[in-house]
Amino acid sequence: MNKEQDVKKVSSALLKRKSWTRRGFVKASGAAAAVITTGIGTSAFASAPAQRVSEDGPMAAALNYVHDARTVDAAKRLSSQFCNNCALYAGTAQDEWAKCSIFPGKLVAGAGWCSAWAPKQES
Ligand code: SF4
C-alpha cells in the first residue's frame, strides 16, 4: 500500500464513523494528520520489523488504545468493536497482531481497540 492509499484509507474510515465525541474527533484527527503530514504509512515500514504498540505511548494514550478491548468502559465502546474488524487493521480477523494505519510501523492486537475504530468495509 502506498502513501496515497494510506491517506485515503485513514480519511475514509474517519469520515464514515457515525458518531464522534468532540474530544474523540480532535484526537483522531490529530492522529490522522500526523500520519498524513509526515507521509508515514504502513508501506514506509515494510522492511522494518514491527513491534507491538505501547499502550503508554502518546498516540496510544490519546486514542485510548488498549490491547484488550474488553477492558474498555462499555460507555465508550460497543462490545462488537475490535481492532480485527476495524477498517484500519491490516491483518485478517484471525491475526492476533497486525499493522494499523494509525500506528505506522507498529502492531496492534486483533483483540484491541482505540477511539478511532471505524467499521471495516466489505469488499
Ligand atoms: Fe487501529 Fe485498532 Fe484503533 Fe482500528 S481500533 S484504528 S485497528 S488501533
Side-chain angles (χ1 to χ4, degrees):
M1 183 177 299
N2 63 34
K3 178 185 169 193
E4 186 175 327
Q5 289 171 319
D6 286 341
V7 170
K8 282 182 179 176
K9 190 173 183 180
V10 170
S11 300
S12 174
L14 293 175
L15 291 172
K16 287 179 180 165
R17 185 166 172 163
K18 292 191 173 125
S19 65
W20 286 99
T21 62
R22 182 176 167 186
R23 187 172 179 203
F25 182 78
V26 169
K27 286 179 182 177
S29 298
V35 171
I36 292 167
T37 58
T38 60
I40 299 172
T42 52
S43 58
F45 291 88
S47 61
Q51 298 180 338
R52 294 177 180 183
V53 68
S54 168
E55 292 179 338
D56 300 325
M59 181 82 80
L63 294 173
N64 303 306
Y65 170 80
V66 291
H67 297 318
D68 185 352
R70 295 169 300 174
T71 64
V72 178
D73 187 326
K76 295 181 180 176
R77 167 191 166 265
L78 294 177
S79 62
S80 61
Q81 296 177 351
F82 294 93
C83 287
N84 65 12
N85 62 14
C86 172
L88 303 180
Y89 190 68
T92 68
Q94 289 74 40
D95 291 334
E96 290 187 30
W97 295 85
K99 291 183 178 179
C100 163
S101 302
I102 293 287
F103 299 101
K106 301 285 185 182
L107 299 175
V108 298
W113 179 87
C114 87
S115 57
W117 183 92
K120 185 171 274 197
Q121 302 299 309
E122 298 298 324
S123 53

